[in-house]
Amino acid sequence: MAAKPRRGPLDGICDVPGVRAGHADDREGLTGCTAVLFDAPAVVGVDVRGSAPGTRETDRLAPTASVRDTHALLLTGGSAFGLAAADGVTRLLEQQGRGLDLGVARIPLVSAAVIFDLMVGSAAARPDAAMGYEAALSARSEKLDRGSVGVGTGATVGKVLGLERAMKGGVGEASAVLEGGATVAALAVVNAFGDVRDSDGIIAGPRLKDGTPGDTVSLLERAAPGGSRGENTTLGIIVTDARLDKTDTTKVARMAHDGLARAVWPVHTSVDGDAVFTASVACESGREAATDVVGAWAAWAMQAAILDAVRSSTGVRGIPGLAD
């Protein structure tokens, strides 16, 4: 976009007041998770566009769903097994007295989405409730580590030629401060089937024989039938202190997918589980900002977070990362 953003001091989601985030990971098994906690209940929407998603409690986020509050979000490795990590986030929030008060109990509401990383490290290593608890317990309003950490520990990109020719993905962030004062920030984990591109071309993707990253679509046309069955995903979280309702947050999540389309090629494939959450933590003192303006900057922030994730990632087990 023509306008240049004023970046927040942390250039990440914790630039938004009332947001805390933390990682936990298994460096041997090469998997992990990243928890995002809200000091006050957030209004959250989601848009799932990949054909191979793994999610928890996303129906509750629909504009027509009656429950408004969300207390935390979790991005995790481990495929469907990794959804168990959300139980640990829920347990910590319950211990802190957080949750929807239904009289007999306070029920923490935690939505989650997963990436498939079982082929990078040990397929038996998966985020569980203990790891989710650790990630939530470590959550701080500080700059997050980026790259091959947390949910990005086992993330890879460019897998059309097989994992042995892929490059390292990871987790990244970005933020923008709007003219009216509202902050729009993004967290992304990049585990894409396709390649990742900036304005100059492909920066990470399937490695050709000379070691340079190749064009996934061109290679896909010549690839043998079969191959990847859904072991890929780019996940994102947009957080803002602009005052939005559930319809607005759902719209912003949809617009933020434009950031995926600008950075990942191809995107939203039959073997990706791409999903974006948007959380408004405005509460009563939130800032005013038009939904379309928030959505436009959400797309910018998501693109920037994806590029940050790949550029920050270090290699593992023969899979090189750009930060090396």
Side-chain angles (χ1 to χ4, degrees):
M1 51 189 354
K4 290 187 177 181
R6 178 164 62 89
R7 292 176 179 258
L10 305 178
D11 202 19
I13 58 172
C14 291
D15 283 323
V16 180
V19 177
R20 292 175 288 127
H23 298 308
D25 45 50
D26 177 349
R27 308 307 299 178
E28 294 298 320
L30 295 179
T31 191
C33 62
T34 300
V36 178
L37 278 58
F38 308 117
D39 290 344
V43 178
V44 177
V46 68
D47 189 33
V48 180
R49 295 200 183 179
S51 297
T55 59
R56 162 180 162 148
E57 289 194 39
T58 50
D59 287 351
R60 177 179 58 78
L61 305 179
T64 54
S66 60
V67 177
R68 176 180 179 273
D69 294 347
T70 294
H71 302 93
L73 295 171
L74 180 74
L75 304 182
T76 179
S79 190
F81 298 110
L83 290 171
D87 292 337
V89 181
T90 301
R91 186 169 78 246
L92 178 68
L93 291 172
E94 182 185 28
Q95 291 173 354
Q96 295 176 342
R98 303 279 311 284
L100 182 65
D101 188 358
L102 293 179
V104 295
R106 284 187 175 272
I107 302 177
L109 300 175
V110 180
S111 296
V114 302
I115 66 168
F116 184 100
D117 55 6
L118 301 180
M119 296 172 68
V120 178
S122 169
R126 308 141 184 178
D128 56 11
M131 186 181 288
Y133 187 95
E134 179 186 350
L137 188 63
S138 71
R140 300 287 187 274
S141 297
E142 301 170 358
K143 189 180 182 81
L144 272 176
D145 290 335
R146 303 172 185 195
S148 303
V149 295
V151 64
T153 301
T156 51
V157 300
K159 285 163 273 190
V160 68
L161 297 177
L163 188 63
E164 66 277 7
R165 302 279 287 277
M167 292 182 67
K168 193 67 181 64
V171 63
E173 294 185 288
S175 70
V177 181
L178 281 56
E179 289 184 5
T183 299
V184 179
L187 172 74
V189 56
V190 190
N191 188 57
F193 174 73
D195 47 73
V196 176
R197 306 178 179 213
D198 65 11
S199 58
D200 294 322
I202 301 170
I203 61 171
R207 286 175 291 136
L208 304 177
K209 291 182 179 180
D210 64 1
T212 60
D215 183 301
T216 297
V217 174
S218 295
L219 293 166
L220 185 60
E221 289 184 290
R222 304 192 295 269
S228 182
R229 297 175 299 279
E231 300 107 355
N232 319 280
T233 290
T234 300
L235 301 175
I237 296 175
I238 298 294
V239 184
T240 182
D241 57 356
R243 188 180 294 110
L244 305 175
D245 62 23
K246 287 179 76 174
T247 300
D248 296 328
T249 56
T250 301
K251 180 60 178 177
V252 170
R254 291 178 178 176
M255 294 179 71
H257 272 280
D258 290 350
L260 273 72
R262 294 169 192 164
V264 180
W265 179 259
V267 73
H268 307 141
T269 73
S270 61
V271 294
D272 283 286
D274 305 330
V276 174
F277 298 92
T278 293
S280 168
V281 294
C283 304
E284 299 303 320
S285 58
R287 298 179 180 274
E288 296 297 332
T291 302
D292 287 342
V293 173
V294 175
W297 283 113
W300 174 89
M302 186 57 63
Q303 178 186 12
I306 290 169
L307 296 177
D308 179 53
V310 173
R311 289 171 175 152
S312 302
S313 293
T314 52
V316 297
R317 298 188 183 175
I319 302 172
L322 290 181
D324 296 327

mmCIF file of all heavy atoms in Angstrom, residues 130-169:
data_model
loop_
_atom_site.group_PDB
_atom_site.id
_atom_site.type_symbol
_atom_site.label_atom_id
_atom_site.label_comp_id
_atom_site.label_asym_id
_atom_site.label_seq_id
_atom_site.Cartn_x
_atom_site.Cartn_y
_atom_site.Cartn_z
ATOM 1 N N ALA A 130 0.490 -30.163 28.966
ATOM 2 C CA ALA A 130 1.599 -29.605 29.747
ATOM 3 C C ALA A 130 2.328 -28.518 28.963
ATOM 4 O O ALA A 130 2.705 -27.483 29.516
ATOM 5 C CB ALA A 130 2.567 -30.721 30.143
ATOM 6 N N MET A 131 2.520 -28.735 27.647
ATOM 7 C CA MET A 131 3.201 -27.729 26.836
ATOM 8 C C MET A 131 2.318 -26.493 26.654
ATOM 9 O O MET A 131 2.811 -25.356 26.680
ATOM 10 C CB MET A 131 3.601 -28.300 25.476
ATOM 11 C CG MET A 131 4.445 -27.341 24.653
ATOM 12 S SD MET A 131 4.917 -27.967 23.019
ATOM 13 C CE MET A 131 6.137 -29.196 23.502
ATOM 14 N N GLY A 132 1.019 -26.701 26.472
ATOM 15 C CA GLY A 132 0.112 -25.564 26.365
ATOM 16 C C GLY A 132 0.102 -24.738 27.636
ATOM 17 O O GLY A 132 0.087 -23.496 27.593
ATOM 18 N N TYR A 133 0.142 -25.411 28.776
ATOM 19 C CA TYR A 133 0.193 -24.728 30.076
ATOM 20 C C TYR A 133 1.475 -23.909 30.183
ATOM 21 O O TYR A 133 1.462 -22.754 30.617
ATOM 22 C CB TYR A 133 0.125 -25.764 31.199
ATOM 23 C CG TYR A 133 0.006 -25.191 32.590
ATOM 24 C CD1 TYR A 133 -1.247 -25.040 33.189
ATOM 25 C CD2 TYR A 133 1.130 -24.827 33.322
ATOM 26 C CE1 TYR A 133 -1.370 -24.530 34.473
ATOM 27 C CE2 TYR A 133 1.023 -24.309 34.601
ATOM 28 C CZ TYR A 133 -0.225 -24.169 35.171
ATOM 29 O OH TYR A 133 -0.346 -23.659 36.442
ATOM 30 N N GLU A 134 2.604 -24.504 29.750
ATOM 31 C CA GLU A 134 3.892 -23.804 29.794
ATOM 32 C C GLU A 134 3.878 -22.556 28.917
ATOM 33 O O GLU A 134 4.371 -21.491 29.319
ATOM 34 C CB GLU A 134 4.995 -24.750 29.345
ATOM 35 C CG GLU A 134 6.382 -24.127 29.327
ATOM 36 C CD GLU A 134 7.440 -25.043 28.745
ATOM 37 O OE1 GLU A 134 7.157 -26.235 28.529
ATOM 38 O OE2 GLU A 134 8.565 -24.549 28.496
ATOM 39 N N ALA A 135 3.312 -22.670 27.711
ATOM 40 C CA ALA A 135 3.250 -21.516 26.819
ATOM 41 C C ALA A 135 2.403 -20.405 27.423
ATOM 42 O O ALA A 135 2.781 -19.223 27.380
ATOM 43 C CB ALA A 135 2.695 -21.936 25.460
ATOM 44 N N ALA A 136 1.262 -20.764 28.005
ATOM 45 C CA ALA A 136 0.386 -19.760 28.610
ATOM 46 C C ALA A 136 1.029 -19.140 29.841
ATOM 47 O O ALA A 136 0.931 -17.928 30.076
ATOM 48 C CB ALA A 136 -0.950 -20.391 28.964
ATOM 49 N N LEU A 137 1.715 -19.959 30.641
ATOM 50 C CA LEU A 137 2.362 -19.462 31.848
ATOM 51 C C LEU A 137 3.495 -18.500 31.515
ATOM 52 O O LEU A 137 3.772 -17.553 32.256
ATOM 53 C CB LEU A 137 2.903 -20.642 32.663
ATOM 54 C CG LEU A 137 3.460 -20.331 34.058
ATOM 55 C CD1 LEU A 137 2.367 -19.780 34.969
ATOM 56 C CD2 LEU A 137 4.082 -21.584 34.678
ATOM 57 N N SER A 138 4.150 -18.709 30.376
ATOM 58 C CA SER A 138 5.273 -17.861 29.981
ATOM 59 C C SER A 138 4.839 -16.592 29.268
ATOM 60 O O SER A 138 5.677 -15.743 28.932
ATOM 61 C CB SER A 138 6.221 -18.643 29.059
ATOM 62 O OG SER A 138 5.629 -18.847 27.784
ATOM 63 N N ALA A 139 3.543 -16.427 29.018
ATOM 64 C CA ALA A 139 3.055 -15.296 28.230
ATOM 65 C C ALA A 139 3.363 -13.966 28.920
ATOM 66 O O ALA A 139 3.093 -13.791 30.109
ATOM 67 C CB ALA A 139 1.552 -15.431 27.998
ATOM 68 N N ARG A 140 3.947 -13.050 28.148
ATOM 69 C CA ARG A 140 4.324 -11.733 28.643
ATOM 70 C C ARG A 140 3.957 -10.674 27.599
ATOM 71 O O ARG A 140 3.814 -10.980 26.415
ATOM 72 C CB ARG A 140 5.838 -11.658 28.886
ATOM 73 C CG ARG A 140 6.368 -12.649 29.900
ATOM 74 C CD ARG A 140 5.992 -12.283 31.328
ATOM 75 N NE ARG A 140 6.644 -13.163 32.296
ATOM 76 C CZ ARG A 140 6.144 -14.341 32.685
ATOM 77 N NH1 ARG A 140 5.000 -14.778 32.185
ATOM 78 N NH2 ARG A 140 6.790 -15.069 33.583
ATOM 79 N N SER A 141 3.851 -9.437 28.045
ATOM 80 C CA SER A 141 3.606 -8.322 27.121
ATOM 81 C C SER A 141 4.950 -7.780 26.643
ATOM 82 O O SER A 141 5.305 -6.616 26.873
ATOM 83 C CB SER A 141 2.786 -7.232 27.806
ATOM 84 O OG SER A 141 1.513 -7.722 28.158
ATOM 85 N N GLU A 142 5.711 -8.645 25.997
ATOM 86 C CA GLU A 142 7.058 -8.321 25.558
ATOM 87 C C GLU A 142 7.259 -8.817 24.132
ATOM 88 O O GLU A 142 6.433 -9.552 23.593
ATOM 89 C CB GLU A 142 8.094 -8.976 26.481
ATOM 90 C CG GLU A 142 7.979 -8.559 27.940
ATOM 91 C CD GLU A 142 8.853 -9.394 28.855
ATOM 92 O OE1 GLU A 142 9.518 -10.331 28.342
ATOM 93 O OE2 GLU A 142 8.843 -9.136 30.069
ATOM 94 N N LYS A 143 8.378 -8.429 23.533
ATOM 95 C CA LYS A 143 8.713 -8.876 22.192
ATOM 96 C C LYS A 143 8.925 -10.390 22.205
ATOM 97 O O LYS A 143 9.672 -10.918 23.033
ATOM 98 C CB LYS A 143 9.970 -8.176 21.692
ATOM 99 C CG LYS A 143 10.289 -8.410 20.223
ATOM 100 C CD LYS A 143 11.572 -7.667 19.848
ATOM 101 C CE LYS A 143 11.898 -7.841 18.380
ATOM 102 N NZ LYS A 143 11.128 -6.935 17.528
ATOM 103 N N LEU A 144 8.275 -11.085 21.300
ATOM 104 C CA LEU A 144 8.399 -12.530 21.212
ATOM 105 C C LEU A 144 9.660 -12.924 20.451
ATOM 106 O O LEU A 144 10.094 -12.215 19.544
ATOM 107 C CB LEU A 144 7.190 -13.112 20.461
ATOM 108 C CG LEU A 144 5.937 -13.484 21.236
ATOM 109 C CD1 LEU A 144 4.867 -13.946 20.252
ATOM 110 C CD2 LEU A 144 6.187 -14.550 22.278
ATOM 111 N N ASP A 145 10.228 -14.074 20.828
ATOM 112 C CA ASP A 145 11.239 -14.670 19.970
ATOM 113 C C ASP A 145 10.571 -15.084 18.661
ATOM 114 O O ASP A 145 9.392 -15.461 18.639
ATOM 115 C CB ASP A 145 11.859 -15.891 20.639
ATOM 116 C CG ASP A 145 12.725 -15.530 21.823
ATOM 117 O OD1 ASP A 145 13.227 -14.392 21.865
ATOM 118 O OD2 ASP A 145 12.889 -16.380 22.715
ATOM 119 N N ARG A 146 11.341 -15.062 17.575
ATOM 120 C CA ARG A 146 10.776 -15.327 16.254
ATOM 121 C C ARG A 146 11.602 -16.363 15.515
ATOM 122 O O ARG A 146 12.732 -16.647 15.883
ATOM 123 C CB ARG A 146 10.709 -14.028 15.455
ATOM 124 C CG ARG A 146 9.900 -12.956 16.182
ATOM 125 C CD ARG A 146 9.966 -11.595 15.523
ATOM 126 N NE ARG A 146 9.276 -10.607 16.346
ATOM 127 C CZ ARG A 146 8.914 -9.409 15.924
ATOM 128 N NH1 ARG A 146 9.183 -9.032 14.691
ATOM 129 N NH2 ARG A 146 8.299 -8.578 16.732
ATOM 130 N N GLY A 147 11.015 -16.919 14.489
ATOM 131 C CA GLY A 147 11.714 -17.918 13.694
ATOM 132 C C GLY A 147 11.364 -19.328 14.111
ATOM 133 O O GLY A 147 10.185 -19.678 14.220
ATOM 134 N N SER A 148 12.369 -20.145 14.363
ATOM 135 C CA SER A 148 12.166 -21.568 14.657
ATOM 136 C C SER A 148 11.945 -21.794 16.141
ATOM 137 O O SER A 148 12.711 -22.490 16.826
ATOM 138 C CB SER A 148 13.369 -22.363 14.150
ATOM 139 O OG SER A 148 13.561 -22.154 12.766
ATOM 140 N N VAL A 149 10.886 -21.203 16.669
ATOM 141 C CA VAL A 149 10.530 -21.306 18.082
ATOM 142 C C VAL A 149 9.029 -21.510 18.186
ATOM 143 O O VAL A 149 8.271 -21.270 17.244
ATOM 144 C CB VAL A 149 10.933 -20.041 18.877
ATOM 145 C CG1 VAL A 149 12.437 -19.878 18.917
ATOM 146 C CG2 VAL A 149 10.278 -18.797 18.269
ATOM 147 N N GLY A 150 8.566 -21.960 19.368
ATOM 148 C CA GLY A 150 7.141 -22.114 19.595
ATOM 149 C C GLY A 150 6.480 -22.936 18.515
ATOM 150 O O GLY A 150 6.991 -23.975 18.098
ATOM 151 N N VAL A 151 5.348 -22.457 18.028
ATOM 152 C CA VAL A 151 4.629 -23.171 16.972
ATOM 153 C C VAL A 151 5.443 -23.260 15.690
ATOM 154 O O VAL A 151 5.216 -24.134 14.849
ATOM 155 C CB VAL A 151 3.258 -22.506 16.723
ATOM 156 C CG1 VAL A 151 3.422 -21.086 16.193
ATOM 157 C CG2 VAL A 151 2.388 -23.335 15.785
ATOM 158 N N GLY A 152 6.446 -22.394 15.537
ATOM 159 C CA GLY A 152 7.276 -22.417 14.335
ATOM 160 C C GLY A 152 8.446 -23.369 14.384
ATOM 161 O O GLY A 152 9.202 -23.467 13.411
ATOM 162 N N THR A 153 8.611 -24.104 15.485
ATOM 163 C CA THR A 153 9.781 -24.958 15.669
ATOM 164 C C THR A 153 9.954 -25.957 14.527
ATOM 165 O O THR A 153 11.057 -26.160 14.018
ATOM 166 C CB THR A 153 9.695 -25.710 17.008
ATOM 167 O OG1 THR A 153 9.604 -24.755 18.080
ATOM 168 C CG2 THR A 153 10.906 -26.609 17.224
ATOM 169 N N GLY A 154 8.886 -26.611 14.114
ATOM 170 C CA GLY A 154 8.974 -27.617 13.060
ATOM 171 C C GLY A 154 8.348 -27.190 11.749
ATOM 172 O O GLY A 154 8.089 -28.025 10.873
ATOM 173 N N ALA A 155 8.112 -25.894 11.574
ATOM 174 C CA ALA A 155 7.450 -25.401 10.361
ATOM 175 C C ALA A 155 8.411 -25.386 9.179
ATOM 176 O O ALA A 155 9.598 -25.082 9.316
ATOM 177 C CB ALA A 155 6.905 -23.993 10.600
ATOM 178 N N THR A 156 7.886 -25.707 7.994
ATOM 179 C CA THR A 156 8.679 -25.727 6.759
ATOM 180 C C THR A 156 7.859 -25.115 5.625
ATOM 181 O O THR A 156 6.634 -25.003 5.719
ATOM 182 C CB THR A 156 9.083 -27.155 6.368
ATOM 183 O OG1 THR A 156 7.917 -27.994 6.373
ATOM 184 C CG2 THR A 156 10.100 -27.731 7.353
ATOM 185 N N VAL A 157 8.539 -24.745 4.533
ATOM 186 C CA VAL A 157 7.855 -24.190 3.363
ATOM 187 C C VAL A 157 8.435 -24.805 2.091
ATOM 188 O O VAL A 157 9.567 -25.289 2.077
ATOM 189 C CB VAL A 157 7.985 -22.644 3.288
ATOM 190 C CG1 VAL A 157 7.391 -21.994 4.518
ATOM 191 C CG2 VAL A 157 9.433 -22.221 3.121
ATOM 192 N N GLY A 158 7.623 -24.787 1.020
ATOM 193 C CA GLY A 158 8.102 -25.234 -0.278
ATOM 194 C C GLY A 158 8.296 -26.735 -0.361
ATOM 195 O O GLY A 158 9.411 -27.214 -0.563
ATOM 196 N N LYS A 159 7.211 -27.496 -0.284
ATOM 197 C CA LYS A 159 7.328 -28.948 -0.155
ATOM 198 C C LYS A 159 6.902 -29.733 -1.395
ATOM 199 O O LYS A 159 6.695 -30.937 -1.334
ATOM 200 C CB LYS A 159 6.552 -29.403 1.081
ATOM 201 C CG LYS A 159 7.300 -29.070 2.361
ATOM 202 C CD LYS A 159 6.448 -29.123 3.601
ATOM 203 C CE LYS A 159 5.744 -27.814 3.851
ATOM 204 N NZ LYS A 159 5.090 -27.726 5.158
ATOM 205 N N VAL A 160 6.795 -29.066 -2.527
ATOM 206 C CA VAL A 160 6.355 -29.749 -3.737
ATOM 207 C C VAL A 160 7.365 -30.808 -4.185
ATOM 208 O O VAL A 160 6.993 -31.799 -4.830
ATOM 209 C CB VAL A 160 6.073 -28.730 -4.867
ATOM 210 C CG1 VAL A 160 7.360 -28.078 -5.347
ATOM 211 C CG2 VAL A 160 5.332 -29.390 -6.025
ATOM 212 N N LEU A 161 8.655 -30.649 -3.841
ATOM 213 C CA LEU A 161 9.678 -31.635 -4.198
ATOM 214 C C LEU A 161 9.999 -32.578 -3.041
ATOM 215 O O LEU A 161 10.965 -33.336 -3.107
ATOM 216 C CB LEU A 161 10.960 -30.915 -4.634
ATOM 217 C CG LEU A 161 10.838 -30.037 -5.884
ATOM 218 C CD1 LEU A 161 12.152 -29.334 -6.174
ATOM 219 C CD2 LEU A 161 10.391 -30.869 -7.091
ATOM 220 N N GLY A 162 9.179 -32.540 -2.003
ATOM 221 C CA GLY A 162 9.411 -33.366 -0.827
ATOM 222 C C GLY A 162 10.082 -32.579 0.284
ATOM 223 O O GLY A 162 10.703 -31.532 0.055
ATOM 224 N N LEU A 163 9.975 -33.098 1.502
ATOM 225 C CA LEU A 163 10.510 -32.398 2.659
ATOM 226 C C LEU A 163 12.024 -32.221 2.573
ATOM 227 O O LEU A 163 12.572 -31.212 3.042
ATOM 228 C CB LEU A 163 10.144 -33.161 3.939
ATOM 229 C CG LEU A 163 10.475 -32.458 5.255
ATOM 230 C CD1 LEU A 163 9.683 -31.164 5.398
ATOM 231 C CD2 LEU A 163 10.195 -33.385 6.437
ATOM 232 N N GLU A 164 12.708 -33.193 1.938
ATOM 233 C CA GLU A 164 14.168 -33.107 1.847
ATOM 234 C C GLU A 164 14.640 -31.942 0.986
ATOM 235 O O GLU A 164 15.807 -31.548 1.045
ATOM 236 C CB GLU A 164 14.731 -34.420 1.296
ATOM 237 C CG GLU A 164 14.348 -34.739 -0.135
ATOM 238 C CD GLU A 164 12.976 -35.399 -0.274
ATOM 239 O OE1 GLU A 164 12.251 -35.498 0.743
ATOM 240 O OE2 GLU A 164 12.644 -35.832 -1.390
ATOM 241 N N ARG A 165 13.743 -31.343 0.207
ATOM 242 C CA ARG A 165 14.103 -30.191 -0.635
ATOM 243 C C ARG A 165 13.398 -28.912 -0.159
ATOM 244 O O ARG A 165 13.443 -27.896 -0.857
ATOM 245 C CB ARG A 165 13.721 -30.482 -2.089
ATOM 246 C CG ARG A 165 14.377 -31.719 -2.678
ATOM 247 C CD ARG A 165 15.789 -31.446 -3.146
ATOM 248 N NE ARG A 165 15.779 -30.664 -4.370
ATOM 249 C CZ ARG A 165 15.624 -31.192 -5.591
ATOM 250 N NH1 ARG A 165 15.448 -32.502 -5.749
ATOM 251 N NH2 ARG A 165 15.653 -30.421 -6.646
ATOM 252 N N ALA A 166 12.774 -28.968 1.005
ATOM 253 C CA ALA A 166 12.046 -27.815 1.536
ATOM 254 C C ALA A 166 13.001 -26.843 2.221
ATOM 255 O O ALA A 166 14.206 -27.087 2.344
ATOM 256 C CB ALA A 166 10.977 -28.280 2.518
ATOM 257 N N MET A 167 12.478 -25.720 2.674
ATOM 258 C CA MET A 167 13.214 -24.761 3.487
ATOM 259 C C MET A 167 12.446 -24.522 4.781
ATOM 260 O O MET A 167 11.273 -24.876 4.905
ATOM 261 C CB MET A 167 13.433 -23.448 2.727
ATOM 262 C CG MET A 167 14.382 -23.582 1.543
ATOM 263 S SD MET A 167 14.691 -22.005 0.688
ATOM 264 C CE MET A 167 15.588 -21.097 1.960
ATOM 265 N N LYS A 168 13.131 -23.904 5.728
ATOM 266 C CA LYS A 168 12.544 -23.728 7.050
ATOM 267 C C LYS A 168 11.543 -22.582 7.073
ATOM 268 O O LYS A 168 11.806 -21.492 6.566
ATOM 269 C CB LYS A 168 13.658 -23.462 8.065
ATOM 270 C CG LYS A 168 13.220 -23.556 9.518
ATOM 271 C CD LYS A 168 12.855 -24.971 9.903
ATOM 272 C CE LYS A 168 12.408 -25.018 11.360
ATOM 273 N NZ LYS A 168 11.172 -24.250 11.607
ATOM 274 N N GLY A 169 10.381 -22.856 7.656
ATOM 275 C CA GLY A 169 9.410 -21.820 7.987
ATOM 276 C C GLY A 169 9.552 -21.454 9.446
ATOM 277 O O GLY A 169 10.523 -21.820 10.105
#
